[in-house]
Amino acid sequence: MKLGVVVLGLAALAAALGWRPAAPAATVIWIGGNTSGYLEPCGCVKPMTGGIRRKATLLRQQRGADDLTVELGPFIKDPLRQSQLKLDAMAEFGRAAQVDAMGLMAGDMKLDGPVLAAANSLSGGRFVQSQSTAVTQIQEAKGWTIGAISPRLGDPGTAWTQLSSAAGENPILVMFDGDLEAASAFAANRTGLKVVCYPSSSPEAKNVGGVMVVGTGERGKYVGRLDLTAKRYKSFALGPEFADDSAVSRVMARYLARVKGENLIAQEPRSHAAAFAGSKACAPCHTKIVDQWTKTGHGKAFVTLQKEQHDFDPDCVKCHVVGKDKTTGFVSVAKTPQLQHVGCESCHGPARDHAKKPKVYKLAKAGPQSCQTCHVPDHSPAFNFDSYWQKIKHGRPK
């Protein structure tokens, strides 16, 4: 009886002092990442997958209150100004979607320290990189100790020693900057390490000596749910069945407003080229072809961007207009309206001289190579010239 009174007394004292027993570590982990600059779905296939707006919706609908959520990089594809704005948007997404930790990879670390620190502030301090002084080196969340380790930034062994020392009894999750082979090798024989995630081309998970090694999939298209109790992993493709999250839609609107406001299109490098004429200049001699072109997806390509509010986005505009990378090419709808859409000159080259003197200035024949500037595997993985040609054919090029 006296022992019971003592125990109750100690419990009351602990409660009064604000002490609470440590909650058990989360056993379900949501893993996303490898955005690589793709904040939105992009491509010529239907249905398109990916995007931070859909990701936030999936997490809101299916994540448990005690689940851990991590998002690893690379978040960007280069250190240019647009990538800085994208990292800010990713930071805002992390905060809005209540991601617990966001791991920077070596590619992200090409940005200057003040840029990284500013983005980290926008995220609410969610960024982590164990080999950086610009952001948090170690995160603690949901009973886990979390780090991001990149062999390209320094010795991963040193980073691990610091991480494991800080973890104490906590299980450890590492966001690792490497492929499956490197991540699996890192996972071997590390006390306390329970999960290693890495940026991969396809979502996958395997058990390596008791450590779950999980790949994210490419370009932010997937989110994985890892159940450590059941040793089960399920990947969700972010298709159109997931509606756009309203809070993250506002994040995207701010990002696109900044891209437009800074007029990033005008800052893109351009090379010299002969003058363009615009597709309508071809109509006097190629009336049926131009009329048929207006009915194709190419003939309305820029309208697609306007509907999605990406009509000032350099990443998107380049494949929806004529000659964006040329000094004589598309500048804006106001200045060069004749060069909107994927026009005749997208495939046949600059044609102002040809339009004036067609017998003197000949145009190059178009073919598969003309398409493959924009129909690249990332955006058009199923591209096949013969089948795609059927959608636009107007006298097959030789």
Side-chain angles (χ1 to χ4, degrees):
M1 183 66 180
K2 291 183 178 180
L3 178 60
V5 172
V6 171
V7 170
L8 289 173
L10 289 174
L13 177 61
L17 293 174
W19 179 87
R20 295 291 185 275
T27 58
V28 172
I29 305 174
W30 294 86
I31 301 168
N34 195 12
T35 307
S36 300
Y38 287 88
L39 301 178
E40 296 274 69
C42 177
C44 306
V45 294
K46 301 284 185 184
M48 292 190 290
T49 57
I52 57 176
R53 293 193 269 195
R54 294 173 177 175
K55 184 178 293 187
T57 295
L58 180 148
L59 293 173
R60 175 168 44 80
Q61 291 176 346
Q62 303 198 32
R63 180 178 53 189
D66 297 325
D67 295 351
L68 178 70
T69 308
V70 297
E71 184 83 11
L72 61 153
F75 298 113
I76 60 173
K77 60 183 178 181
D78 57 49
L80 301 179
R81 176 57 179 163
Q82 188 169 5
S83 290
Q84 296 178 17
L85 302 184
K86 286 181 178 180
L87 187 66
D88 284 351
M90 283 302 305
E92 290 191 68
F93 154 76
R95 191 168 197 158
Q98 298 181 328
V99 175
D100 292 299
M102 306 177 73
L104 297 171
M105 303 289 105
D108 304 313
M109 296 300 295
K110 291 180 180 178
L111 295 176
D112 292 339
V115 173
L116 294 173
N120 190 40
S121 179
L122 283 174
S123 78
R126 286 168 167 81
F127 283 125
V128 59
Q129 171 48 251
S130 297
Q131 293 143 296
S132 168
T133 57
V135 299
T136 307
Q137 292 184 313
I138 298 170
Q139 293 277 15
E140 303 280 348
K142 307 289 176 60
W144 285 77
T145 297
I146 305 163
I149 294 177
S150 174
R152 291 184 287 169
L153 295 175
D155 176 25
T158 301
W160 166 255
T161 298
Q162 295 171 341
L163 184 61
S164 59
S165 176
E169 299 299 316
N170 283 356
I172 301 171
L173 181 148
V174 168
M175 292 179 270
F176 188 79
D177 191 5
D179 59 14
L180 172 60
E181 182 179 1
S184 298
F186 178 84
N189 302 316
R190 295 188 188 273
T191 301
L193 181 61
K194 299 300 181 183
V195 179
V196 175
C197 352
Y198 67 97
S200 65
S201 57
S202 60
E204 55 196 353
K206 62 184 294 188
N207 190 319
V208 179
V211 178
M212 294 302 299
V213 178
V214 183
T216 58
E218 62 179 355
R219 302 198 300 280
K221 290 184 175 184
Y222 308 93
V223 176
R225 181 184 186 275
L226 178 63
D227 185 331
L228 290 171
T229 301
K231 299 295 183 185
R232 184 180 299 134
Y233 173 79
K234 180 179 180 180
S235 174
F236 296 83
L238 297 171
E241 65 272 20
F242 295 104
D244 290 343
D245 178 81
S246 58
V248 179
S249 290
R250 291 191 290 273
V251 170
M252 281 301 304
R254 285 192 291 272
Y255 161 73
L256 291 171
R258 295 179 74 187
V259 169
K260 179 179 179 179
E262 294 190 20
N263 194 16
L264 295 184
I265 290 179
Q267 301 172 34
E268 293 276 291
R270 294 175 180 256
S271 59
H272 180 72
F276 292 95
S279 296
K280 290 184 179 179
C282 306
C285 297
H286 305 282
T287 306
K288 291 184 178 179
I289 290 175
V290 172
D291 182 62
Q292 191 269 341
W293 165 78
T294 63
K295 299 178 176 66
T296 68
H298 281 175
K300 301 182 283 289
F302 197 73
V303 175
T304 303
L305 294 188
Q306 290 173 318
K307 289 180 178 178
E308 298 295 329
Q309 300 182 336
H310 280 275
D311 47 319
F312 288 87
D313 185 341
D315 282 349
C316 304
V317 169
K318 61 186 177 185
C319 284
H320 288 250
V321 300
V322 174
K324 174 191 158 292
D325 61 340
K326 306 299 181 185
T327 54
T328 51
F330 177 86
V331 175
S332 67
V333 173
K335 294 182 179 179
T336 52
Q338 75 279 11
L339 300 182
Q340 296 178 76
H341 315 306
V342 179
C344 305
E345 293 161 296
S346 297
C347 299
H348 296 280
R352 191 173 72 176
D353 291 341
H354 173 75
K356 291 179 178 179
K357 297 181 179 180
K359 293 184 179 180
V360 176
Y361 297 99
K362 304 293 184 181
L363 294 181
K365 296 291 184 181
Q369 74 286 348
S370 306
C371 312
Q372 290 166 353
T373 301
C374 287
H375 287 281
V376 296
D378 277 356
H379 304 153
S380 193
F383 176 74
N384 173 275
F385 179 76
D386 290 330
S387 62
Y388 275 51
W389 173 251
Q390 299 306 312
K391 301 176 182 180
I392 63 165
K393 68 178 179 181
H394 45 269
R396 178 163 182 160
K398 304 295 183 183

